[in-house]
Every structure is written in structure tokens, then in C-alpha cells.
Amino acid sequence: MDTSLDEFLDVENELNQRWPETKLEPSLDRIKALAHVLGDPQTSYPVVQLTGTNGKTSTSRMVDALFTRIGLRTGRYTSPHLQLATERISLDNQPISPERYVEVFRDIEPYVAMVDTRSEIRMSKFEVLTGMAYAAFADAPVDVAVVEVGMGGTWDATSIADARIAVLTPISIDHTEYLGTRVEDIAAEKAGIIKPGSVAVVGEQSPEAMRVVLERVAEVDAMVARFGSEFGVVSRSVAVGGQLVTLQGLGGVYEDIFLPLHGEHQAANAALALAAVEAFFGAGADRQLDVEAIREGFASVISPGRLERVRSAPNVFVDAAHNPHGAAALAKALETEFGFRKLVAVVAVMSDKDAEGILSALEPVVSELVITTNSSPRAMDPDVLAGLAVGIFGEDRFEVRPRLVDAIDEAIHLTEDELSGGGVIVTGSVVTAGEARALFGKEPA
């Protein structure tokens, strides 16, 4: 085995001894302590920070692509990863190498150990990764960092940065054990990324969430741009490999933009990304960004595991939807943009997610269901998931295959009689999407 890969796996093993992202003690004390001994790297470049329930990673990738095309050197920090942890930390719109990942970890490792000895609770894996990202960006150095929260907002480790632009994608129910069971509570936590004097770029929200967000904007004297008011989607039409959109930006209308991603939700994410980049450059009614650069930036966007085609004949797609809101957006895109005569869903979910809500969102567009699991220790037992499926799909519209590879093979088999009219969607969690990508030979991106 490659020595550098050995070292990378060693680092991953060390990090995996720490608390995972699903276990946390809400506090910024540890990450602030680490950043302080590292010289507060997060203060050496402007930050665009993103939170929300769904769409964060796709929107982050769009923002990164636009900045890159305009000519800025970028750092991007997203989570979780689909296949390889290096995906989380990108420079110049590309994941860092395993070698660089190891270097950055070894550079900050003594300081992590110092913080560990001074705290009752050791730093979590996410906190260490956040420190690695901020240090790598400062070392590059980058012109701007695009940073996605791990969970929530106010006490998320990424929030030690004083973001100039705060982006809020649609907010709905998720991570209730930490964020609360009411949309208002979740919105309050996420709105914490809006800092004094910043610009809040806010995606489409429920009235309850929007009220909370606007209260935070007023509280810290921030400026605000809202989807459907200051920016939005003027029109969209399905195109080969994606969609053609016209966007209303802060600086005017941007026409004939090809977005190589599917779904109305991705068009909304594009409008959000455009407004965030415009806000960063101070674009407004009298100043529009270069339209051709914006077109080229959007045309270059990739978002792995987001309604991503991994095979043709039959068409097999992979999507990381892991909550009812995401599954509903996926279902709508499948129904409106693809003319499947028969669609088979392969679903594996995490035990702490609203599996019933996910299945209910998918049911109207899915002909048959193949229930399975993934390699995560948090994965829901297929038999438990099957018990939930009975009341939604009935007993005759689903099968159980405990191994993901067998489930995908069965789904493909179930569509073979449809020739060009059959399709397969593999979904239910980020882990499921990542493992499916690997089965089809897709490289981490």
C-alpha cells in the first residue's frame, strides 16, 4: 500500500477515536482555544459562512465555483464527506491531497493535545477538522473561505470566524436532539451565524423561520437580502444534463445560465449562491458582476451525490437526501424532470433520522422500493425500516436486501423490462450516497 495512504489512514484512525459529529457538547471554548494558539488563522481572510437544513454543500460548491472563475483563491470547508475525508477541505475548488491532509493534522497536533489537557472534554473530530481547515486556508493563503457549518450555527465550531456574508439555506426540522423540535428554535440557532455588520443572504423560509432570522438581523444591525424579494429565480427550464435558468441577482438579471444540476431546489440554491457572491463584492442596483463569468462559473459546478447520474441504461442516480425536506425536493425533481415509466428506490437511512418521513416523501413517485443498509454503525436495521415501509408502500411494493450492492442489483433487475423507461434512485443518507458512488467507480470529488 502507498505509504502516504497508510499515513492518511493512521490520521483518520486517530481522529475517529474522538467524539464523532453525532455527539457534541455545545461550546466554542475548545475550538477558540485551539485557534488562539494557532494565531487565529480564521481572521486572516474573509469568510462566507453557510447554514440551513438542506442545500448547504451544493450552495457552497456554487459559491466556490463563482469565486474561482472570478479569479479569487478559495478555501472551502464542507461536511460530511461522501467517500474520503479530504473532500471536506478544498483549495482552489479541489480537495486537498491525502498528503496535505496528514501534514496539516501533524502541524496542529501538538496544539490539539495542549487544548485536550486543559479541557474536561477532548476536542471532537469536527473541532479538529475545523482547526485544520482554518489553518490550511491561512497557510495557502486564500482570498476567501467558503465555510459550511457542521450543525446549527451559534455554537458550531466554524462560528469562531466572523463571517462577512452569512448564507441561510431553507430551514426545516432536523437534528432535533440538539437543535430543538420547533422550526423557530432551529432557526434561532442557525441565525447565530449572522454577525454584527454582516450581510445575511436568506433562502426561502417558512414564515416562522423568517421572522426569527429577521429578528436576529435587526438585533446585530446586519443587512439582509431575501429569496423572493431582493433576489430569486426568474425562470427555469429542463436541459440536457441539468437546467437553463434566469436569475434575479442583487445587481440585475442574469440570463441564459446553464446549471448542470437537476431540480427546482438547485435553481434556488444557484440564486442564493449568486446573491452571496454579489454581496461579497458589494454588487447592487448600479453594479452587476460580469455575466459571462457567472455563466462560466455555474457551468463548471459539480455536486457529487446530489441527484447524480452514475449509470445509464437503466439510469441510476445517487442522492444524499437524509430528511423529509430533502427527500421531498428529490421526489419533485424526479417527477418533473425525468419521464420514468418505472422508478425503483434503493433506501438506507440512519437510525436517528425520520425514516417514515423520508419514505412518505418518496412514495408518490416510486414504483417499487428496495430496503437495505450501509456500513455506518448508526444505520437503521433493514427489518426495522421494512416495518415502517409496510404502512406507506404496502406489503407488495418493497423488498429487503441487507447488502447495498445486492439492493442496487435487484433495483436494476426490476427496471430491466422497461428498456429506456426505467430508473433507479439510491438515497436515504450521505453514507448511502457515498458508498453507492464508490460501487459505481466514482472518485471522491
Side-chain angles (χ1 to χ4, degrees), residues 313-314 339-344 367-368 411-423:
F340 294 123
R341 288 194 293 270
K342 183 176 187 179
L343 178 65
V344 180
S367 306
E368 295 185 53
I412 291 171
H413 172 70
L414 289 170
T415 63
E416 283 176 346
D417 59 340
E418 290 296 329
L419 298 175
S420 62

Side-chain angles (χ1 to χ4, degrees), residues 138-192:
D139 191 55
V142 301
D143 298 315
V144 59
V146 182
V147 176
E148 175 189 337
V149 305
M151 187 190 303
T154 302
W155 44 254
D156 187 78
T158 60
S159 289
I160 59 168
D162 195 9
R164 178 191 298 183
I165 309 295
V167 181
L168 287 86
T169 69
I171 296 167
S172 60
I173 303 293
D174 202 5
H175 300 297
T176 54
E177 67 275 29
Y178 288 110
L179 303 181
T181 56
R182 300 190 315 144
V183 169
E184 295 93 330
D185 298 332
I186 296 171
E189 177 57 41
K190 293 181 184 294

Side-chain angles (χ1 to χ4, degrees), residues 93-431:
N93 218 354
Q94 296 294 324
I96 63 173
S97 67
E99 294 86 353
R100 181 60 182 146
Y101 187 90
V102 171
E103 285 175 4
V104 176
F105 173 74
R106 295 303 180 199
D107 282 346
I108 75 167
E109 187 179 17
Y111 304 102
V112 172
M114 188 187 306
V115 174
D116 283 344
T117 60
R118 295 176 180 176
S119 173
E120 291 183 11
I121 299 172
R122 296 174 73 220
M123 297 192 74
S124 69
K125 180 177 181 178
F126 183 75
E127 288 171 333
V128 176
L129 288 172
T130 301
M132 288 170 59
Y134 283 147
F137 297 159
D139 191 55
V142 301
D143 298 315
V144 59
V146 182
V147 176
E148 175 189 337
V149 305
M151 187 190 303
T154 302
W155 44 254
D156 187 78
T158 60
S159 289
I160 59 168
D162 195 9
R164 178 191 298 183
I165 309 295
V167 181
L168 287 86
T169 69
I171 296 167
S172 60
I173 303 293
D174 202 5
H175 300 297
T176 54
E177 67 275 29
Y178 288 110
L179 303 181
T181 56
R182 300 190 315 144
V183 169
E184 295 93 330
D185 298 332
I186 296 171
E189 177 57 41
K190 293 181 184 294
I193 73 165
I194 303 170
K195 304 291 177 62
S198 67
V199 180
V201 183
V202 186
E204 190 170 19
Q205 306 292 347
S206 67
E208 298 86 356
M210 184 62 84
R211 184 179 67 254
V212 172
V213 170
L214 293 180
E215 286 172 355
R216 172 66 179 178
V217 167
E219 176 190 341
V220 299
D221 195 24
M223 292 180 286
V224 67
R226 298 156 295 174
F227 182 92
S229 295
E230 288 75 26
F231 67 92
V233 179
V234 176
S235 65
R236 59 180 292 270
S237 58
V238 177
V240 176
Q243 55 190 305
L244 196 64
V245 299
T246 295
L247 303 177
Q248 173 65 57
L250 304 179
V253 176
Y254 297 74
E255 298 179 329
D256 299 324
I257 294 172
F258 174 67
L259 182 66
L261 301 172
H262 301 283
E264 183 180 354
H265 60 295
Q266 293 290 18
N269 289 340
L272 193 59
L274 174 60
V277 173
E278 287 184 299
F280 181 85
F281 286 112
D286 58 346
R287 181 172 178 232
Q288 186 175 43
L289 299 181
D290 181 75
V291 178
E292 193 54 41
I294 296 302
R295 289 190 185 116
E296 291 176 7
F298 275 122
S300 72
V301 170
I302 61 167
S303 195
R306 275 72 184 179
L307 201 41
E308 177 187 14
R309 191 194 309 262
V310 293
R311 171 184 163 155
S312 300
N315 286 310
V316 179
F317 294 86
V318 169
D319 193 271
H322 56 275
N323 53 43
H325 185 270
L330 168 62
K332 185 175 183 181
L334 288 166
E335 182 177 37
T336 59
E337 301 191 16
F338 301 94
F340 294 123
R341 288 194 293 270
K342 183 176 187 179
L343 178 65
V344 180
V346 176
V347 177
V349 303
M350 297 301 183
S351 58
D352 58 345
K353 295 296 182 180
D354 182 1
E356 196 167 359
I358 293 170
L359 293 179
S360 295
L362 294 174
E363 189 276 332
V365 303
V366 169
S367 306
E368 295 185 53
L369 174 68
V370 184
I371 289 169
T372 187
T373 190
N374 57 52
S375 66
S376 171
R378 295 193 296 121
M380 181 175 286
D381 185 293
D383 292 333
V384 174
L385 187 55
L388 297 174
V390 171
I392 299 167
F393 280 82
E395 295 184 355
D396 299 328
R397 286 174 60 201
F398 74 87
E399 302 178 25
V400 177
R401 295 289 186 276
R403 296 173 66 231
L404 180 60
V405 63
D406 295 335
I408 293 173
D409 285 345
E410 177 61 18
I412 291 171
H413 172 70
L414 289 170
T415 63
E416 283 176 346
D417 59 340
E418 290 296 329
L419 298 175
S420 62
V424 174
I425 177 68
V426 186
T427 189
S429 86
V430 175
V431 175

